[in-house]
Amino acid sequence: MDKGLLSDRPLLNRYDPMIILLLLSLALTALLLMWHYGNFGVNAEIYYNGELIKTVPLKTDSLSELGEGYPNMTYMVSEGRIRVISSDCRDKVCIRSGTIRSSYKTIVCLPNRVVIKVEQIRENNDNDNDIDVIL
Amino acid sequence: MKIRKIGALVIILASAYLFGLRMNHLSGVSPKTYFSEGFYLDTYVTAASYKNETDIFNAVSFLDNEFQAAYSNKANALSSDILLDCISKTAALNEKYGDGINITCGELTALWGISTDNPRVPAQGEILSALESIVAPPYAEFGENTRLDFGAVAKGYACDYVLADLEKDEQAVCVVASMGSSALLYGEKPDGKPFKSAIKNPADPEIFLGYVYTQAAFISTTGGYERFFEYDGVKYEHIFDLNTGRPIETDLSSVTAVVPIGVENGGILSDFIATLVYMEGVENLGKYLDNDDFYDDFYIVAADINGQIYVSAGLDFEAFTDDG
């Protein structure tokens, strides 16, 4: 006889709590890894001649140079923003571009062929994330 | 037992859906958005296309080569159909709006070298000599020392050129092509919203002047706040007064010109007008802001050196506020 919903068997068998715990811990681990390595995806990317040369987490304040083999430029990360603070380029537009913290804005150094941008993230509370172009 | 299996299936599907949403949130890139970029026309060119991948770089790199060839030898401009077309369209704008902008001022810009490694303030004699090399529109022939400089129109012209390509491409649905100070906003956005263009604030790179909301359009901005050099405490910017041969003295800090798609040669018009209005200053702003019969092809957003903003009637402009 099919008892259906009126079955008197327990809702969970003895393995189910373990499976649920395992799934929850896996989800939590994944969440922590994402938080740690990406600050939920907020990294700056530095390109030289169109090639990605550095990925810089914005959650940690830092001061660095592009390094050997690349233009002589220094960038600083502070409070989740990145900016160029020195450059051997001729026009210094990259320095005057100020900081960036989100994907709608980029820092471009034309003479040095360097572009700094932030990985794109949709932030519903940010009025600027739907910008199509900046001029 | 059956209900438990269904329940488990629902939980798995819901988790997969939420995980997918999260990953999409992280990557932020809709699978139907395509992005490409490159250094051309002395700027950083980007293209974002929606729904279908659309290439603008064949057109842009071709134009870039043509302009470069003309800079190295002006005779090349006379054998290039494209550059002859650009010269002819600039001359037509000169005829309508005056001679404030001139594409034969290359000797003067090279003399100052503001965008080079060695900018300098030239002697007056050198300036006068450079001014003599400039040919008046319609640029029927060039002098021996004439040097070309398409800086005031090249990016706008490129927007026109790209538009002509897109209009032939049935796959092109919506494309935002940015050429630095000029952009082409093509088609309709998939979400049906207007295009949102942010205008840089000349006084503060951390905030915008405001936002322009438009349907398909060309948009160009001119200002002296990015490309300049300082010598003896004086700031020399890259836009020149062709009467004095010296950097322009204007009480405007930024001018943006918006031209709806459909206006003939709207790209070069937006580029030309933004620079012209900037050069002419607040005193002459009124005639460009007013949408009378003569000036109805474009809309203007201008900021003066005191931060006052002027906007053409009929243009959807939202000034930047601290709360975003």
Side-chain angles (χ1 to χ4, degrees):
Chain A
M1 179 182 165
D2 185 4
K3 293 178 180 174
L5 285 171
L6 300 176
S7 169
D8 55 0
R9 284 191 304 180
L11 194 59
L12 300 176
N13 69 31
R14 60 180 171 155
Y15 297 114
D16 284 348
M18 282 190 289
I19 291 170
I20 289 169
L21 271 177
L22 183 69
L23 287 173
L24 279 175
S25 56
L26 276 175
L28 193 64
T29 307
L31 208 62
L32 287 172
L33 283 173
M34 277 153 57
W35 180 273
H36 179 75
Y37 287 105
N39 194 14
F40 280 92
V42 184
N43 292 309
E45 295 174 333
I46 304 180
Y47 294 81
Y48 173 59
N49 267 335
E51 183 187 336
L52 179 65
I53 59 168
K54 277 179 187 292
T55 301
V56 184
L58 295 185
K59 69 184 176 70
T60 311
D61 289 358
S62 63
L63 182 69
S64 308
E65 294 182 350
L66 289 191
E68 202 176 328
Y70 300 116
N72 189 4
M73 295 174 72
T74 307
Y75 60 90
M76 184 172 76
V77 175
S78 176
E79 297 178 346
R81 294 167 176 260
I82 185 167
R83 72 180 304 158
V84 175
I85 60 168
S86 76
S87 170
D88 60 353
C89 66
R90 61 187 178 232
D91 58 18
K92 315 298 182 199
V93 169
C94 52
I95 298 173
R96 288 196 282 269
S97 296
T99 66
I100 59 169
R101 64 177 172 81
S102 195
S103 59
Y104 56 81
K105 189 178 166 190
T106 52
I107 296 173
V108 178
C109 182
L110 275 179
N112 281 340
R113 293 289 194 264
V114 169
V115 177
I116 303 177
K117 40 188 167 178
V118 174
E119 287 175 342
Q120 190 173 3
I121 287 190
R122 296 195 189 101
E123 295 171 21
N124 293 332
N125 58 347
D126 190 333
N127 185 41
D128 288 336
N129 274 305
D130 56 351
I131 289 173
D132 291 299
V133 68
I134 300 175
L135 348 84
Chain B
M1 189 65 186
K2 199 173 180 180
I3 288 175
R4 281 228 312 260
K5 280 183 179 172
I6 291 171
L9 191 63
V10 168
I11 289 170
I12 289 168
L13 287 175
S15 304
Y17 176 70
L18 289 173
F19 185 72
L21 275 186
R22 182 66 200 155
M23 292 312 288
N24 190 39
H25 175 88
L26 285 174
S27 69
V29 179
S30 157
K32 291 180 179 174
T33 304
Y34 304 89
F35 186 80
S36 49
E37 62 200 321
F39 291 100
Y40 297 99
L41 302 169
D42 196 27
T43 193
Y44 173 59
V45 179
T46 63
S49 57
Y50 298 90
K51 287 192 176 176
N52 298 317
E53 190 165 11
T54 308
D55 175 56
I56 68 162
F57 286 95
N58 273 336
V60 172
S61 63
F62 170 73
L63 270 182
D64 189 46
N65 286 335
E66 294 288 297
F67 281 119
Q68 291 301 332
Y71 291 146
S72 61
N73 181 355
K74 60 179 178 280
N76 289 330
L78 300 174
S79 58
S80 159
D81 289 343
I82 286 295
L83 293 193
L84 285 172
D85 182 54
C86 182
I87 291 169
S88 150
K89 284 171 178 164
T90 307
L93 290 168
N94 285 130
E95 191 175 354
K96 187 167 183 180
Y97 299 108
D99 295 351
I101 290 167
N102 190 301
I103 55 166
T104 63
C105 66
E107 193 67 21
L108 184 69
T109 50
L111 183 64
W112 285 82
I114 286 177
S115 294
T116 71
D117 289 331
N118 301 300
R120 69 186 181 97
V121 181
Q124 187 60 20
E126 293 177 290
I127 291 174
L128 291 174
S129 172
L131 286 174
E132 284 174 9
S133 72
I134 296 174
V135 175
Y139 317 111
E141 56 183 26
F142 301 142
E144 192 181 336
N145 297 321
T146 299
R147 199 193 281 201
L148 299 174
D149 182 344
F150 290 95
V153 294
K155 297 176 184 73
Y157 183 80
C159 288
D160 283 326
Y161 194 74
V162 168
L163 173 68
D165 246 22
L166 294 179
E167 285 179 334
K168 285 182 262 173
D169 182 355
E170 289 178 1
Q171 297 294 308
V173 175
C174 177
V175 180
V176 175
S178 165
M179 321 252 178
S181 57
S182 291
L184 164 65
L185 311 169
Y186 175 80
E188 284 183 28
K189 289 173 70 171
D191 61 9
K193 291 182 178 173
F195 292 99
K196 181 177 182 179
S197 305
I199 302 175
K200 293 178 185 173
N201 191 320
D204 184 351
E206 300 301 325
I207 57 175
F208 296 117
L209 201 64
Y211 312 95
V212 173
Y213 297 90
T214 59
Q215 300 303 317
F218 300 97
I219 182 164
S220 296
T221 294
T222 297
Y225 49 93
E226 279 190 341
R227 291 191 180 187
F228 62 84
F229 81 101
E230 286 181 281
Y231 179 75
D232 265 359
V234 180
K235 188 173 143 184
Y236 298 93
E237 63 175 80
H238 72 295
I239 299 166
F240 290 92
D241 180 339
L242 300 181
N243 293 312
T244 65
R246 303 180 67 81
I248 193 82
E249 290 182 13
T250 175
D251 50 3
L252 287 172
S253 58
S254 162
V255 173
T256 296
V258 180
V259 179
I261 298 282
V263 173
E264 199 177 359
N265 305 316
I268 193 170
L269 173 66
S270 70
D271 207 358
F272 184 99
I273 284 294
T275 304
L276 185 74
V277 175
Y278 175 76
M279 294 169 75
E280 293 194 4
V282 173
E283 185 185 4
N284 296 295
L285 195 53
K287 66 182 179 186
Y288 297 112
L289 283 172
D290 296 340
N291 294 319
D292 61 20
D293 290 342
F294 190 66
Y295 295 107
D296 63 355
D297 286 345
F298 54 81
Y299 301 88
I300 298 291
V301 177
D304 69 20
I305 52 175
N306 299 314
Q308 174 75 38
I309 299 175
Y310 309 83
V311 185
S312 289
L315 183 66
D316 188 356
F317 175 78
E318 174 193 7
F320 181 88
T321 54
D322 282 342
D323 59 1

